[in-house]
Amino acid sequence: MPKINQSFETQIQNENGEIISTRANKTLSWGDEPSYIKLYLQDIMYLSDMPKKYVAVTEALLKRIAYAGDEDGMCVSLLPRTKRAICNELGWKTIAALDNALQKLLMGKILYRVDRGMYRFNPYLFGKGEWQDISRLRLDINYDEIKGRTFKTNIEYKADGNGQMYMDFF
């Protein structure tokens, strides 16, 4: 279990002027960091029912997010200058295209609006920083909205030219 150990020392003088030193230790725990695996943006988009075309914009936004422990942790602030830079980076001609993409990312629960022009990445999908800071952000998000989704795949059994069976997912 990850812990933060703090130790501090206090000095107390008795009536003879002798210094008596006492030490106090404090341990804080944020719980275990959950197991994780590396996921690729295209897969996160797939699991969130988002088209592949939003991978590039998500990547451009992720380059600009703050660490979870910062004042606006896991947030990206989109001033007009930043929006123009992202549009240039993606080869988009209008800022309206970026605004439309942001609306889709909000609907897909990839982002949450914090304030006008400020968006926070979903801490259940992304993390940048220390676990204790990310876990604090997770307390603000209702996980039931995310896990309420269901996904379905179709499996078809096929035979190759040698008579070997394999599964085809679609």
Side-chain angles (χ1 to χ4, degrees):
M1 176 176 278
K3 294 179 182 178
I4 300 171
N5 294 317
Q6 273 184 325
S7 63
F8 52 93
E9 201 170 294
T10 57
Q11 293 184 346
I12 304 171
Q13 291 184 354
N14 64 13
E15 54 278 342
N16 297 334
E18 296 176 24
I19 297 176
I20 302 171
S21 180
T22 60
R23 184 180 218 157
N25 294 321
K26 188 175 183 180
T27 302
L28 305 170
S29 174
W30 291 96
D32 289 335
E33 181 174 6
S35 300
Y36 66 93
I37 58 171
K38 183 184 203 179
L39 279 177
Y40 298 95
L41 284 179
Q42 67 185 24
D43 299 326
I44 290 173
M45 293 300 167
Y46 173 76
L47 293 172
S48 299
D49 286 336
M50 300 294 298
K52 285 183 188 178
K53 66 182 180 180
Y54 296 113
V55 170
V57 69
T58 303
E59 189 176 292
L61 294 169
L62 282 167
K63 291 179 192 176
R64 293 165 169 86
I65 66 170
Y67 282 93
D70 295 344
E71 184 177 344
D72 293 318
M74 300 271 299
C75 286
V76 59
S77 182
L78 295 177
L79 301 169
R81 179 181 176 150
T82 308
K83 283 184 169 185
R84 281 192 302 274
I86 291 172
C87 287
N88 288 338
E89 193 177 307
L90 298 174
W92 293 356
K93 298 193 186 322
T94 64
I95 291 178
L98 177 58
D99 290 335
N100 290 338
L102 289 170
Q103 290 305 311
K104 294 293 186 187
L105 292 172
L106 286 167
M107 289 187 324
K109 306 278 191 257
I110 301 295
L111 296 174
Y112 294 97
R113 188 183 311 273
V114 175
D115 204 343
R116 184 174 182 196
M118 183 173 284
Y119 302 88
R120 174 168 286 135
F121 272 89
N122 185 338
Y124 285 98
L125 300 176
F126 302 94
K128 181 178 180 181
E130 297 291 326
W131 170 243
Q132 71 237 16
D133 299 324
I134 296 168
S135 66
R136 264 191 226 116
L137 292 175
R138 287 175 138 208
L139 294 175
D140 296 339
I141 307 285
N142 183 357
Y143 187 65
D144 290 333
E145 289 180 23
I146 298 165
K147 74 176 183 179
R149 295 180 176 200
T150 57
F151 298 94
K152 178 180 154 185
T153 186
N154 294 316
I155 303 173
E156 188 175 290
Y157 291 94
K158 296 183 177 179
D160 64 9
N162 299 324
Q164 296 289 322
M165 297 294 289
Y166 69 93
M167 291 185 284
D168 191 15
F169 297 90
F170 56 95

